[in-house]
Protein backbone atom coordinates (compact mmCIF):
# COMPACT_ATOMS: atom_id res chain seq x y z
CA UNK A 1 0.00 0.00 0.00
CA UNK A 2 1.30 3.43 -0.92
CA UNK A 3 1.31 6.05 1.80
CA UNK A 4 1.11 9.76 1.11
CA UNK A 5 1.52 12.61 3.53
CA UNK A 6 -0.70 15.60 2.95
CA UNK A 7 -1.08 18.90 4.71
CA UNK A 8 -4.41 20.54 5.27
CA UNK A 9 -4.88 24.27 5.71
CA UNK A 10 -7.95 25.26 7.68
CA UNK A 11 -9.17 28.49 9.27
CA UNK A 12 -7.75 29.31 12.69
CA UNK A 13 -11.04 28.54 14.47
CA UNK A 14 -10.92 24.89 13.32
CA UNK A 15 -9.02 22.78 15.82
CA UNK A 16 -6.80 19.89 14.76
CA UNK A 17 -9.24 17.16 15.82
CA UNK A 18 -12.08 18.70 13.79
CA UNK A 19 -9.79 19.14 10.77
CA UNK A 20 -8.87 15.44 10.94
CA UNK A 21 -12.55 14.46 11.13
CA UNK A 22 -13.39 16.65 8.15
CA UNK A 23 -10.52 15.07 6.21
CA UNK A 24 -11.68 11.55 7.15
CA UNK A 25 -15.20 12.43 6.08
CA UNK A 26 -13.99 13.64 2.69
CA UNK A 27 -11.79 10.57 2.27
CA UNK A 28 -14.70 8.27 3.15
CA UNK A 29 -16.81 10.06 0.54
CA UNK A 30 -14.13 9.70 -2.13
CA UNK A 31 -13.74 6.00 -1.37
CA UNK A 32 -17.52 5.56 -1.13
CA UNK A 33 -17.03 4.10 2.33
CA UNK A 34 -20.51 4.81 3.60
CA UNK A 35 -20.01 3.00 6.92
CA UNK A 36 -16.99 5.16 7.78
CA UNK A 37 -18.84 8.25 6.60
CA UNK A 38 -21.79 7.45 8.88
CA UNK A 39 -19.41 6.76 11.77
CA UNK A 40 -17.64 10.12 11.37
CA UNK A 41 -20.92 12.04 10.95
CA UNK A 42 -22.40 10.36 14.03
CA UNK A 43 -19.31 11.25 16.08
CA UNK A 44 -19.35 14.87 14.93
CA UNK A 45 -23.07 15.15 15.65
CA UNK A 46 -22.75 13.50 19.09
CA UNK A 47 -19.98 15.92 20.07
CA UNK A 48 -22.24 18.83 19.15
CA UNK A 49 -19.94 20.07 16.40
CA UNK A 50 -22.75 20.04 13.84
CA UNK A 51 -26.44 20.64 14.49
CA UNK A 52 -28.61 17.53 14.59
CA UNK A 53 -29.79 16.32 11.22
CA UNK A 54 -33.52 16.29 10.52
Amino acid sequence: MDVRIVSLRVPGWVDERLAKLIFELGLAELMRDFHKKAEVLAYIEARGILPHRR
Side-chain angles (χ1 to χ4, degrees), residues 3-21:
V3 176
R4 294 182 193 266
I5 297 173
V6 296
S7 60
L8 181 64
R9 297 185 102 183
V10 296
W13 58 268
V14 176
D15 70 349
E16 186 176 338
R17 185 179 302 152
L18 180 57
K20 286 180 182 180
L21 287 170

Side-chain angles (χ1 to χ4, degrees), residues 32-54:
R32 301 290 190 236
D33 185 350
F34 297 111
H35 295 290
K36 181 65 176 177
K37 180 179 173 183
E39 178 183 322
V40 172
L41 282 172
Y43 177 81
I44 290 172
E45 186 175 300
R47 299 292 287 181
I49 297 170
L50 293 178
H52 293 287
R53 290 174 279 169
R54 295 180 187 176

